[in-house]
Amino acid sequence: MTLTITVCAPLSLDPVPALSALVAELDADVEIHFPTELLPAQRFPADHRGVPGFTRSAADEARWKDLLARTDVALGFPGDSTEGVVELFSCAPHLRWVQGTAAGTGELLTGSGLAPDVVSRALVTSTAGLHAEPLAEFALFGLLAFAKDIDRLSELSRRREWPERWPMRQLAASTVVVVGLGGVGREVSRLLGAFGATVLGIRGSNSSGMVEGVTAHLSMKELDDVLPRCDAVVVAVPGTTRTHRLFDADRLARLPRHAVLVNVGRGSVIDSSALVAALREGRLRGAAVDVTELEPLPADSPLWGRSDVILSPHTAALTVDEDDRIVRLFARNLRRFLTGEPLHNLVEPGRGY
């Protein structure tokens, strides 16, 4: 029977030529649809939600539902949202596999509220690891910014002052705890190793093996013991019930006063109120965060306007060529799907990633 593939998320490039070449090579009976007229337009590269308020005419909505009803494989959830998860599983009775466009695809499944037996009728894969390089670069940016006193330098420049010299910190002489050794944590560790830092890698429940750049591989149970002797922490774990507020007031209190906290995982991993309190009381040197507990960050959040906080609006992972990399990942997984091999980045719905 013909396998129907539907691209359900807006992309900045047409994936059909590359996918068609793969299908022809494997001599598979596959029909590929990229219905751009039925999808919202992107607002920026790597935008998989599209313009807000997008609607279809009655005729287009009927076409869309008919296409979903025939879909076996989907690239992206409609709207990159929990509502899109519900729509796809509800309208695509023949669905066999969904390639998500986000590393947090598992969180969409969890947030959808769908029963496990509904979600488990199709394989779901994420883009875990796809954003490792840009997120690792942001993590290093945050660590270097505070090691080289970016806040002090900026203030001196504003005041046009040339003070007495002072010693800055070096990553080469630092001990950095990397919490989570998935794709992002591994790349952070590799870069830190190249700088000469001592890297203590805290494994998640699903990671194993030696990681380049890591000086010592530790378990989550050992986290509290190593925090007092670290100069910085890089958080790179997904948002799950197990990691919710992993860094609470008690854990933040274990860090030295000169320590820097970087979060390139999920905002739910750090207690925002406890973080603000630690910064206000001078118990932390600074924080660089790409994610926050509430997004968008409320205008009255105390995190705004602080010279010891570098805020990124959950954008550090995005690159102009992201859609191309997503399509290439999908093609690699599609080859595996058509040849019966295990898929990359398979999500376990009950675990959340």
Side-chain angles (χ1 to χ4, degrees):
M1 295 179 63
T2 301
L3 184 79
T4 300
I5 298 175
T6 302
V7 180
C8 293
L11 298 173
S12 57
L13 74 164
D14 185 353
V16 175
L19 299 177
S20 297
L22 171 63
V23 168
E25 176 191 332
L26 297 176
D27 193 26
D29 187 7
V30 176
E31 187 179 88
I32 306 169
H33 297 273
F34 180 36
T36 54
E37 71 282 5
L38 302 180
L39 299 173
Q42 285 191 330
R43 296 163 292 176
F44 48 83
D47 173 27
H48 303 126
R49 292 192 176 186
V51 293
F54 171 76
T55 58
R56 304 182 186 90
S57 67
D60 281 348
E61 186 65 20
R63 288 176 56 208
W64 174 247
K65 289 296 194 290
D66 176 68
L67 183 55
L68 293 185
R70 295 184 284 114
T71 295
D72 302 293
V73 173
L75 173 53
F77 285 107
D80 192 29
S81 64
T82 53
E83 294 81 7
V85 174
V86 174
E87 179 184 25
L88 188 56
F89 275 93
S90 300
C91 299
H94 308 297
L95 193 64
R96 296 169 56 190
W97 166 42
V98 184
Q99 171 64 63
T101 56
T105 295
E107 295 170 44
L108 287 181
L109 292 181
T110 302
S112 71
L114 291 176
D117 62 316
V118 174
V119 176
S120 62
R121 68 180 176 83
L123 300 174
V124 177
T125 53
S126 73
T127 59
L130 194 77
H131 308 101
E133 290 182 357
L135 284 175
E137 287 184 3
F138 178 82
L140 266 290
F141 159 68
L143 295 175
L144 284 168
F146 288 114
K148 304 308 177 187
D149 299 324
I150 185 65
D151 47 354
R152 185 175 181 181
L153 293 174
S154 297
E155 181 62 17
L156 289 171
S157 178
R158 188 183 67 80
R159 294 181 179 181
R160 300 173 182 247
E161 292 182 6
W162 189 275
E164 291 297 322
R165 301 164 71 190
W166 74 89
M168 293 180 173
R169 289 186 170 273
Q170 283 186 270
L171 289 191
S174 299
T175 297
V176 183
V177 176
V178 178
V179 184
L181 295 178
V184 176
R186 287 171 178 265
E187 182 63 10
V188 170
S189 300
R190 185 186 72 81
L191 293 178
L192 284 171
F195 271 88
T198 297
V199 181
L200 307 180
I202 305 294
R203 296 187 186 281
S205 59
N206 197 40
S207 61
S208 61
M210 304 298 290
V211 176
E212 182 181 354
V214 174
T215 308
H217 296 76
L218 307 172
S219 70
M220 195 68 78
K221 294 179 180 179
E222 298 171 275
L223 177 60
D224 288 345
D225 294 333
V226 299
L227 290 180
R229 59 187 175 94
C230 75
D231 301 298
V233 176
V234 177
V235 177
V237 291
T240 67
T241 54
R242 295 182 64 181
T243 63
H244 182 71
R245 291 192 171 179
L246 180 67
F247 280 85
D248 55 11
D250 290 340
R251 197 156 271 142
L252 291 175
R254 293 177 178 271
L255 293 167
R257 300 177 75 88
H258 69 270
V260 173
L261 181 65
V262 176
N263 190 2
V264 285
R266 282 293 180 266
S268 60
V269 180
I270 297 176
D271 183 334
S272 292
S273 297
L275 174 60
V276 169
L279 290 166
R280 280 177 171 170
E281 296 164 14
R283 292 185 284 107
L284 272 184
R285 169 67 182 89
V289 295
D290 180 50
V291 286
T292 55
E293 275 197 291
L294 293 178
E295 295 184 7
L297 186 65
D300 61 353
S301 170
L303 289 173
W304 288 113
R306 295 192 62 90
S307 62
D308 54 3
V309 175
I310 297 174
L311 279 172
S312 166
H314 205 150
T315 196
L318 303 189
T319 59
V320 293
D321 66 337
E322 178 176 318
D323 285 349
D324 178 62
R325 290 185 288 130
I326 287 175
V327 170
R328 284 189 276 124
L329 170 63
F330 180 56
R332 290 194 298 273
N333 257 345
L334 180 58
R335 177 185 292 275
R336 287 175 166 265
F337 184 81
L338 293 174
T339 56
E341 298 177 70
L343 302 181
H344 293 300
N345 298 342
L346 194 62
V347 172
E348 294 182 24
R351 191 177 61 187
Y353 61 95

